[in-house]
C-alpha cells in the first residue's frame, strides 16, 4: 500500500502525457452521439470515483446523471429502455460478474457503454463499446489507492473532452501530489492522535463528498475503525446527535462552493465541542482542533478531490500501523470482489 501510494504522482503524469489523447478521442466520439443522460455503475472505491463523475458531469456539462442499482438488472431482470443513454462503468479490475452482466444488459438495451478500468483485457472492457485505460499499472495492495486517483483524473479528462476541453488545468497535479506525499510526518502525528478512536465521522459537501466516502472506506478496510461518511447536509438531518467531544470528525473542506456550503456544518460541529479535524485550506484548518493544509489556492475546485484523498490515504495507513495491524492484509477481503 505504501509503495502504491507513492506511485501516484508518476501515474498522474502518465495519464496526462500518454493517456489523455485516447481519452479525448473517446469523449469526442461519445459527444457526437449526444447522450440524453448518464448512468454510472460501480462498486466500492470505484463507486466513489463514479460519484465524483456525477458531480463533474452535472455541474460542468449540465448532463443529468444517476448511480445505478445493478440488482435491478442482475437480480430482478429489469430491462429499461436505455436508447441514447450513456452508461459508464468504473472498475479497477473489470472482472466483477455483476458489473459485466449489467453493462452487457445496458448495451443490449440500447445504451452507449463505456468502461473505465485498469485492465484493457478485462471482461468488462470486452463487453463495452468504448474503453478508457487509467494506466495505473498493476495494483497488488488490497486497499485501492493509485487506481482511485487515476480513475478521478481519467474521468475528469473524459468530462472535459465531452465539452471539447483539453484538461490543461490538471497539468500541475503530479507535482502537488508529490508535495503531499512528502508530508507523511504530519499525517503520522494525526494518526498518533487518533489511533485509539472507536469511531470516526467524515463529512464534506460538493466535490469533496466522494472524498469523504472514499476516506471512510479506506479507514474501515485497513484499520477496522467504524468510519461513517455523510454529506454535510445529511449530517444535520439527524446524525449530528451522535457527535460528541470524544469521537473525531474529519471535515474535507474543498476550497470553493462546496466548502462554502459546508461552513454552517462546521459551525454546528464547533458549537457541539467536536474534535474537529479539517483537511482543506489553511484558514479552515486554523479554526479546527487539528488538520492538514492542502495546497489548493490555484487548483480548480473540480480537481481538488484528486489531492484531498492523498493525506487521507496516508492517514488510513498510519492509523493502521499505529494500531499494530497490517494495511496490506485486511481481513476477509479479496482484490477482485465477485458480486453477482
Amino acid at each position: 500500500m505504501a509503495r502504491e501510494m507513492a506511485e501516484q504522482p508518476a501515474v498522474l503524469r502518465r495519464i496526462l502525457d500518454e493517456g489523455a489523447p485516447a481519452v479525448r478521442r473517446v469523449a469526442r466520439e461519445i459527444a457526437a452521439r449526444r447522450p440524453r443522460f448518464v448512468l454510472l455503475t460501480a462498486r466500492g472505491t470505484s463507486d466513489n470515483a463514479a460519484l465524483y463523475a456525477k458531480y463533474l458531469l452535472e455541474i460542468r456539462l449540465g448532463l443529468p446523471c444517476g448511480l445505478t442499482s445493478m440488482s435491478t438488472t442482475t437480480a430482478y431482470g429489469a430491462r429499461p429502455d436505455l436508447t441514447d443513454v450513456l452508461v459508464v462503468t468504473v472498475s479497477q479490475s473489470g472482472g466483477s460478474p455483476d458489473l459485466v452482466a449489467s453493462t452487457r444488459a445496458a448495451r443490449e438495451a440500447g445504451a452507449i457503454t463505456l468502461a473505465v478500468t485498469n485492465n484493457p483485457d478485462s471482461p468488462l472492457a470486452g463487453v463495452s463499446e468504448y474503453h478508457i485505460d487509467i494506466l495505473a499499472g498493476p495494483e497488488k495492495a488490497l486497499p485501492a489507492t493509485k487506481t482511485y486517483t487515476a480513475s478521478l483524473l481519467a474521468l475528469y479528462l473524459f468530462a472535459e473532452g465531452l465539452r471539447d476541453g483539453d484538461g490543461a488545468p490538471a497539468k500541475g497535479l503530479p507535482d502537488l501530489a508529490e508535495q503531499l506525499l512528502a508530508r507523511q510526518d504530519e499525517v503520522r502525528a494525526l494518526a498518533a492522535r487518533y489511533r485509539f478512536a472507536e469511531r470516526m465521522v467524515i463529512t464534506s459537501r460538493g466535490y469533496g463528498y466522494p472524498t469523504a466516502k472514499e476516506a471512510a472506506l479506506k479507514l474501515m478496510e485497513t484499520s477496522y475503525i467504524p468510519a461513517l461518511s455523510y454529506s454535510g447536509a445529511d449530517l444535520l438531518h439527524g446524525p449530528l446527535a451522535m457527535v460528541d467531544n470524544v469521537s473525531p470528525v474529519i471535515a474535507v473542506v474543498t476550497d470553493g462552493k462546496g466548502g462554502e456550503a459546508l461552513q454552517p456544518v462546521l459551525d454546528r460541529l464547533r458549537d457541539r465541542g467536536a474534535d474537529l479535524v479539517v483537511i482543506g485550506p489553511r484558514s479552515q484548518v486554523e479554526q479546527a482542533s487539528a488538520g492538514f493544509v492542502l495546497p489548493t489556492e490555484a487548483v480548480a475546485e473540480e480537481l481538488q478531490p484528486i489531492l484531498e484523498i492523498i493525506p487521507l490515504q496516508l492517514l488510513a495507513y498510519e492509523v493502521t500501523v499505529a494500531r499494530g495491524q497490517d494495511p496490506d492484509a485486511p481481513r476477509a477481503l479479496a482484490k477482485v470482489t465477485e458480486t453477482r
Side-chain angles (χ1 to χ4, degrees):
M1 182 179 178
R3 182 176 63 252
E4 289 169 359
M5 286 189 294
E7 290 175 15
Q8 289 177 106
V11 172
L12 297 176
R13 286 193 184 94
R14 188 182 309 134
I15 295 169
L16 291 168
D17 295 342
E18 302 173 22
V23 174
R24 194 172 300 118
R25 283 195 298 273
V26 168
R28 287 175 177 170
E29 285 188 34
I30 290 175
R33 296 175 65 173
R34 302 179 64 84
R36 55 193 174 99
F37 61 90
V38 182
L39 291 175
L40 296 146
T41 303
R43 296 280 191 205
T45 285
S46 294
D47 199 34
N48 299 326
L51 180 58
Y52 167 73
K54 184 178 189 295
Y55 278 91
L56 272 177
L57 294 168
E58 290 188 339
I59 295 169
R60 303 280 289 170
L61 282 88
L63 267 175
C65 300
L67 300 175
T68 63
S69 299
M70 278 174 279
S71 62
T72 62
T73 298
T74 59
Y76 291 92
R79 292 296 183 267
D81 179 5
L82 298 179
T83 305
D84 297 327
V85 173
L86 172 60
V87 173
V88 181
T89 307
V90 186
S91 171
Q92 300 149 44
S93 68
S96 187
D98 58 349
L99 293 169
V100 175
S102 63
T103 301
R104 182 187 293 113
R107 190 169 180 179
E108 292 170 352
I112 307 162
T113 52
L114 167 64
V116 180
T117 81
N118 196 36
N119 183 1
D121 299 319
S122 63
L124 178 60
V127 300
S128 301
E129 187 176 357
Y130 298 97
H131 178 256
I132 290 174
D133 187 348
I134 65 172
L135 299 175
E139 188 174 60
K140 296 181 180 179
L142 286 173
T145 54
K146 65 178 182 175
T147 52
Y148 180 69
T149 49
S151 295
L152 296 192
L153 181 54
L155 288 163
Y156 167 79
L157 293 173
F158 173 67
E160 286 299 287
L162 288 177
R163 62 197 294 268
D164 206 25
D166 61 4
K171 292 296 185 182
L173 291 178
D175 290 343
L176 291 172
E178 281 187 343
Q179 293 174 26
L180 291 173
L181 288 162
R183 294 165 59 191
Q184 190 160 356
D185 286 348
E186 293 179 48
V187 178
R188 192 171 294 123
L190 279 179
R193 179 185 177 106
Y194 299 118
R195 62 180 294 191
F196 298 114
E198 296 183 1
R199 179 186 68 207
M200 289 188 181
V201 174
I202 308 178
T203 187
S204 189
R205 290 203 68 180
Y207 284 111
Y209 180 40
T211 306
K213 290 175 67 67
E214 175 62 11
L217 177 59
K218 284 292 150 293
L219 281 161
M220 288 189 288
E221 67 184 355
T222 56
S223 70
Y224 317 139
I225 297 174
L228 309 174
S229 59
Y230 294 100
S231 157
D234 288 332
L235 185 63
L236 296 183
H237 282 262
L240 185 67
M242 71 177 173
V243 173
D244 54 29
N245 62 357
V246 177
S247 299
V249 178
I250 299 175
V252 181
V253 185
T254 303
D255 193 359
K257 292 182 179 179
E260 293 170 8
L262 189 64
Q263 190 61 52
V265 183
L266 300 177
D267 293 340
R268 291 286 299 277
L269 289 168
R270 293 187 189 99
D271 289 345
R272 290 190 60 81
D275 183 3
L276 178 63
V277 184
V278 166
I279 310 297
R282 182 175 301 278
S283 60
Q284 293 290 347
V285 171
E286 289 174 346
Q287 299 179 56
S289 305
F292 186 98
V293 176
L294 292 173
T296 54
E297 297 84 358
V299 180
E301 183 176 359
E302 61 270 16
L303 286 169
Q304 291 177 34
I306 299 171
L307 301 175
E308 289 167 348
I309 191 59
I310 291 175
L312 291 163
Q313 292 171 344
L314 293 170
L315 181 65
Y317 177 88
E318 294 292 348
V319 167
T320 302
V321 171
R323 289 163 70 94
Q325 295 156 198
D326 184 355
D328 289 332
R331 61 195 182 205
L333 295 182
K335 188 61 182 170
V336 180
T337 304
E338 297 194 352
T339 46
R340 296 183 184 274

